[in-house]
């Protein structure tokens, strides 16, 4: 599409990239978009902005005029003007970005990377994180928006009165919450017309924009120095925009009803939360945890972010991967998906000496058939919650303690992963219960029938009395079956970060008490709407107790979802375990160097 110095044998060692100047409209043709495209040195570029957006439909049917300036001194030929077709979504963005009297310099992937030049695409994708880091500002384009002037002014006015403190991780104060309630029609100044409902619809609609589910946007906005969000005529600071939406999601559900629920169920809620947390960490220096961050970022992307090209489920997150020469992941769009995913997995393992990535290696329908069993299919969401949850580096699991994976795969056989460890036992029996889906209307008892599991375990011991025998012939260990089974089903240690302040994760007795009193807790909640509010010093002891029980119950409802698509099993030495549903009798239970959790291997 454009002349490329890479194709002309450029000898300069300085990395280069293209920038686009959007020229002011001419009096002769106001609707025509005219731009200039030129190569620049990335280490010392002119001031520019970077656009973060979605391509929208793949159809490129909107014409713009681009004057390409040759890269000196390699091309003495004069500049030329081409008519280039772009997507409708980008065309609308260019119209909004264009200034009336002076050019505007921007970087836009669709125009600044020759999508048909594989060598150029590979090299430019490698440095995309740096392109967004060096931009003076990132512009997030969400698309056009049908909004009344009064609603736009009210939303902007609310943000100007709020006291956001993102650098302190304090996203909304009590005063901010009052402003937000007024904004969406639930405050003391409750709207007598439909304006509050209208603004709720606008803000919830923003979270459902495709931008929030595009894989590339995560890297683009997390590394950005500054940013603004454009949606039609609505414009605001990027951090304030994210904190505004998050603040509404964080409002007391009992007070704002479906408003918070709609925001939580939107496509963009989880990606927005992840972006907010990552921007906080980047501002406070995450270099020490960067190597371990790539895996948690990829895990979140697998479930919440999309990419047209499956390779981009890896390449879109290079900013968070190890950048040392030995472990750097280099984009290569000419490679097979199998090669890209295998290479990314191997380099992730070597980078941190950890096998944590193996937990993501769950094959699903449609996964490449030739993908090695230990390589994740990054293109598809996981069928269930990983044991190490979103915070891969913060789990309490430490099966291999501080040992690291040190074995290297063979250069001649990249499909085989060499590991070191030892076999603990084998799987001898698997409970028949299928935890396929969790219906929110189901009670804990509907989903987990501890009595039936205990009966199954006891019957198994009677049928196979050799289970649990120790080498010296002593009897099986004595413990409370109910307690140990519950702790196993909750994957004790997986959700420690989310445990309520009043609850010790290992306090099985307290958890069992809430489990057995589920009906009375739900009944009390229905009879007392204030039970959902925070504990206050003025609360009578009985109400405080109920609030603590409800807090534990909510945590149980959340953590119990780790059971989805998993199986409860018993080992030959009478230990209980929880594994993905692919587990089979006879699987070896192993401790591998560099793995925080036991691993099942099959001969």
């Amino acid at each position: 599409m454009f002349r490329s110095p890479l194709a002309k044998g450029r000898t300069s060692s300085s990395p280069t990239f293209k920038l686009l100047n959007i020229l002011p409209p001419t009096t002769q043709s106001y609707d025509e978009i005219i731009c200039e495209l030129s190569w620049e040195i990335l280490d010392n570029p002119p001031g520019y902005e970077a656009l973060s957006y979605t391509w929208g439909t793949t159809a490129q049917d909107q014409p713009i005029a681009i004057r390409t300036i040759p890269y000196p001194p390699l091309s003495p030929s004069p500049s030329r003007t081409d008519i280039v077709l772009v997507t409708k979504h980008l065309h609308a963005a260019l119209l909004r970005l264009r200034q009336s009297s002076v050019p505007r310099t921007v970087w836009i992937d669709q125009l600044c990377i020759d999508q048909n030049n594989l060598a150029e695409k590979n090299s430019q994708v490698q440095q995309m994180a740096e392109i967004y880091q060096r931009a003076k500002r990132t512009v997030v384009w969400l698309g056009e928006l049908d909004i009344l002037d009064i609603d736009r002014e009210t939303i902007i006015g609310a943000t100007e009165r709020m006291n956001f403190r993102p650098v302190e991780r304090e996203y909304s104060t009590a005063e901010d919450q009052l402003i937000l309630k007024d904004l969406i029609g639930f405050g003391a100044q409750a709207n007598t017309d439909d304006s509050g409902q209208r603004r709720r619809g606008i803000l919830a609609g923003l979270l459902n924009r495709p931008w929030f589910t595009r894989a590339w946007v995560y890297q683009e906005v997390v590394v950005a120095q500054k940013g603004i969000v454009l949606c039609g005529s609505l414009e605001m600071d990027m951090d304030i925009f994210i904190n505004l939406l998050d603040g509404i999601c964080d409002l007391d559900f009992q007070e704002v009803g479906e408003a918070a629920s709609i925001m939580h169920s939107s496509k963009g809620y989880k990606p927005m939360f992840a972006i907010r947390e990552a921007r906080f960490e980047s501002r406070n220096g995450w270099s020490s945890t960067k190597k371990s961050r790539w895996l948690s970022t990829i895990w979140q992307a697998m479930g919440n972010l999309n990419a047209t090209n499956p390779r981009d489920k890896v390449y879109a997150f290079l900013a968070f991967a190890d950048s040392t020469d030995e472990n750097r992941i280099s984009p290569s769009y000419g490679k097979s998906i199998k090669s890209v995913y295998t290479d990314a997995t191997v380099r992730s393992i070597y980078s941190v000496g950890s096998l944590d990535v193996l937990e993501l290696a769950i094959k699903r329908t449609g996964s490449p058939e030739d993908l090695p069993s230990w390589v994740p299919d990054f293109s598809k969401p996981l069928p269930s919650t990983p044991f190490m949850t979103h915070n891969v580096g913060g789990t309490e699991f430490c099966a291999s303690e501080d040992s690291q994976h040190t074995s290297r795969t063979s250069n001649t056989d990249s499909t085989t992963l060499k590991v070191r460890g030892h076999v603990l036992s084998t799987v001898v029996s698997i409970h028949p219960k299928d935890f396929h889906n969790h219906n929110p209307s189901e009670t804990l008892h509907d989903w987990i029938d501890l009595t039936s599991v205990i009966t199954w375990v006891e019957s198994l011991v009677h049928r196979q009395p050799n289970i649990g025998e120790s080498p010296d012939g002593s009897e099986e260990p004595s413990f409370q079956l109910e307690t140990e089974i519950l702790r196993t089903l909750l994957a004790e240690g997986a959700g420690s970060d989310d445990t309520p302040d009043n609850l010790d994760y290992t306090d099985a007795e307290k958890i069992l008490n809430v489990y057995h009193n589920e009906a009375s807790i739900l009944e009390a909640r229905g009879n007392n709407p204030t039970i959902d509010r925070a504990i206050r010093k003025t609360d009578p002891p009985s109400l405080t107790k109920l609030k603590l029980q409800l807090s534990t119950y909510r945590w149980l409802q959340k953590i119990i979802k780790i059971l989805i698509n998993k199986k409860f099993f018993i080992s030959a030495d009478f230990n209980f375990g929880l594994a993905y549903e692919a587990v089979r009798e006879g699987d070896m239970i192993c401790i591998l160097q560099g793995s925080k959790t036991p691993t099942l291997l099959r001969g």
Side-chain angles (χ1 to χ4, degrees):
M1 182 166 60
F2 307 113
R3 290 192 177 93
S4 168
L6 298 177
K8 290 180 174 292
R10 178 175 56 87
T11 58
S12 173
S13 60
S14 299
T16 59
F17 72 131
K18 296 172 189 169
L19 285 177
L20 190 77
N21 276 324
I22 309 173
L23 304 181
T26 63
T27 55
Q28 294 84 2
S29 181
Y30 184 86
D31 294 331
E32 183 182 10
I33 297 177
I34 302 175
C35 307
E36 287 182 345
L37 189 72
S38 61
W39 283 91
E40 305 291 345
I41 304 297
L42 182 58
D43 294 342
N44 187 29
Y48 69 95
E49 298 170 292
L51 185 66
S52 177
Y53 72 113
T54 59
W55 280 37
T57 61
T58 57
Q60 295 172 283
D61 52 12
Q62 301 296 304
I64 64 173
I66 293 186
R67 183 184 305 128
T68 304
I69 301 175
Y71 184 75
L74 298 176
S75 177
S77 59
S79 62
R80 76 171 193 271
T81 300
D82 297 307
I83 300 300
V84 177
L85 299 178
V86 300
T87 61
K88 290 182 179 179
H89 195 63
L90 176 56
H91 191 269
L94 292 171
L95 286 174
R96 288 285 182 183
L97 290 170
R98 187 176 60 180
Q99 299 175 139
S100 60
S101 58
V102 294
R104 188 167 186 171
T105 305
V106 295
W107 185 88
I108 302 173
D109 63 347
Q110 196 175 142
L111 298 174
C112 295
I113 298 178
D114 185 346
Q115 304 297 325
N116 297 318
N117 185 326
L118 209 57
E120 179 179 323
K121 187 174 181 180
N122 290 339
S123 67
Q124 294 297 298
V125 168
Q126 181 76 66
Q127 59 192 29
M128 274 181 63
E130 186 175 358
I131 290 174
Y132 279 90
Q133 286 173 329
R134 289 184 176 276
K136 63 181 181 182
R137 189 169 66 172
T138 291
V139 180
V140 175
W141 170 245
L142 297 182
E144 292 296 344
L145 176 67
D146 185 13
I147 184 173
L148 298 176
D149 289 343
I150 189 171
D151 288 331
R152 182 182 63 254
E153 293 167 2
T154 302
I155 293 172
I156 297 299
T159 63
E160 291 174 347
R161 301 199 313 275
M162 297 179 73
N163 186 33
F164 289 124
R165 296 195 297 271
V167 294
E168 301 175 27
R169 220 179 194 132
E170 298 273 346
Y171 291 97
S172 59
T173 63
E175 293 78 12
D176 291 343
Q177 292 179 8
L178 293 177
I179 294 172
L180 289 173
K181 290 175 186 176
D182 282 337
L183 177 64
I184 61 176
F186 287 97
Q189 307 296 324
N191 308 108
T192 57
D193 54 19
D194 63 351
S195 59
Q197 181 179 0
R198 193 171 61 243
R199 289 192 291 272
R200 291 198 298 275
I202 291 171
L203 295 171
L206 293 179
L207 268 180
N208 277 310
R209 293 279 171 137
W211 180 86
F212 282 99
T213 59
R214 176 177 171 258
W216 282 102
V217 305
Y218 187 90
Q219 172 179 269
E220 292 166 359
V221 298
V222 168
V223 304
Q225 298 182 42
K226 297 180 180 180
I228 60 168
V229 174
L230 288 178
C231 191
S233 60
L234 181 65
E235 177 180 335
M236 68 176 71
D237 176 87
M238 181 171 65
D239 288 314
I240 290 179
F241 171 77
I242 293 174
N243 295 335
L244 171 71
L245 297 179
D246 184 71
I248 295 174
C249 292
D250 200 41
L251 291 174
D252 191 322
F253 182 80
Q254 294 296 315
E255 297 183 26
V256 301
E258 86 287 352
S261 177
I262 291 174
M263 302 287 274
H264 273 275
S265 62
S266 67
K267 296 177 182 177
Y269 173 69
K270 288 183 179 179
M272 177 197 67
F273 180 82
I275 288 171
R276 189 198 72 175
E277 291 297 295
R279 278 188 65 76
F280 169 82
E281 291 182 22
S282 69
R283 290 175 176 180
N284 289 273
W286 62 13
S287 57
S288 60
T289 60
K290 182 178 178 181
K291 290 183 179 181
S292 61
R293 180 168 187 83
W294 183 82
L295 183 56
S296 60
T297 303
I298 286 288
W299 173 70
Q300 294 179 64
M302 289 171 73
N304 302 308
L305 301 175
N306 303 315
T308 302
N309 190 321
R311 298 166 185 80
D312 287 336
K313 293 297 284 284
V314 170
Y315 297 155
F317 307 99
L318 295 183
F320 315 106
D322 188 355
S323 58
T324 59
D325 290 339
E326 183 180 15
N327 297 314
R328 179 185 288 117
I329 300 173
S330 299
S332 179
Y333 284 91
K335 284 186 177 181
S336 67
I337 296 172
K338 170 193 171 183
S339 296
V340 171
Y341 287 3
T342 301
D343 182 60
T345 303
V346 168
R347 294 180 187 277
S348 170
I349 292 172
Y350 295 164
S351 174
V352 293
S354 168
L355 294 174
D356 291 345
V357 70
L358 298 187
E359 197 191 352
L360 306 182
I362 308 170
K363 299 303 178 290
R364 277 86 76 201
T365 302
S367 294
E369 294 182 1
D370 59 347
L371 206 61
S373 63
W374 50 274
V375 175
D377 180 1
F378 296 111
S379 67
K380 292 181 172 54
L382 290 174
S384 57
T385 302
F387 289 110
M388 290 181 287
T389 64
H390 68 281
N391 189 5
V392 177
T395 178
E396 289 188 355
F397 291 136
C398 54
S400 62
E401 297 182 338
D402 296 326
S403 69
Q404 290 192 335
H405 173 82
T406 56
S407 300
R408 294 269 172 172
T409 59
S410 169
N411 292 331
T412 58
D413 183 13
S414 61
T415 63
T416 300
L417 179 69
K418 294 182 179 181
V419 297
R420 293 179 179 177
H422 60 275
V423 179
L424 293 178
S425 186
T426 57
V427 176
V428 295
S429 194
I430 304 167
H431 190 269
K433 170 72 174 180
D434 290 323
F435 298 102
H436 283 308
N437 292 295
H438 178 239
N439 188 334
S441 64
E442 287 183 311
T443 64
L444 294 176
H445 280 73
D446 290 334
W447 216 48
I448 299 180
D449 186 351
L450 282 179
T451 302
S452 69
V453 179
I454 292 171
T455 301
W456 175 78
V457 172
E458 290 176 337
S459 67
L460 183 66
V461 173
H462 290 307
R463 292 198 313 271
Q464 303 181 45
N466 60 316
I467 292 180
E469 281 190 2
S470 60
D472 60 4
S474 59
E475 295 182 358
E476 63 192 50
S478 59
F479 48 72
Q480 294 182 346
L481 279 179
E482 188 178 47
T483 299
E484 295 303 316
I485 290 172
L486 181 64
R487 290 171 65 178
T488 303
L489 291 174
L490 295 178
E492 184 176 17
S496 57
D497 288 346
D498 300 317
T499 307
D501 295 336
N502 65 291
L503 181 68
D504 181 349
Y505 194 102
T506 61
D507 193 349
E509 183 178 351
K510 185 180 292 185
I511 297 173
L512 278 170
N513 180 267
V514 170
Y515 173 83
H516 288 306
N517 290 282
E518 178 180 27
S520 60
I521 293 173
L522 293 177
E523 182 180 0
R525 180 183 183 181
N527 296 331
N528 188 349
T530 63
I531 194 174
D532 278 300
R533 297 177 183 174
I535 295 176
R536 300 175 181 175
K537 294 181 179 180
T538 56
D539 289 341
S542 59
L543 181 58
T544 298
K545 179 181 178 181
L546 281 173
K547 286 184 176 182
L548 289 173
Q549 287 182 324
L550 181 61
S551 175
T552 301
Y553 179 74
R554 283 174 168 168
W555 170 79
L556 271 173
Q557 284 183 308
K558 180 178 180 180
I559 198 64
I560 211 70
K561 293 179 182 178
I562 202 169
L563 273 172
I564 295 176
N565 290 323
K566 294 186 178 71
K567 291 276 194 176
F568 177 85
F569 70 85
I570 296 180
S571 69
D573 54 352
F574 205 67
N575 279 307
F576 300 152
L578 193 64
Y580 292 100
E581 60 182 356
V583 60
R584 297 290 183 269
E585 293 181 3
D587 286 349
M588 295 179 291
I589 305 168
C590 306
I591 297 293
L592 304 180
Q593 290 182 0
S595 178
K596 294 186 179 70
T597 60
T599 304
L600 296 182
L601 298 181
R602 188 172 304 159

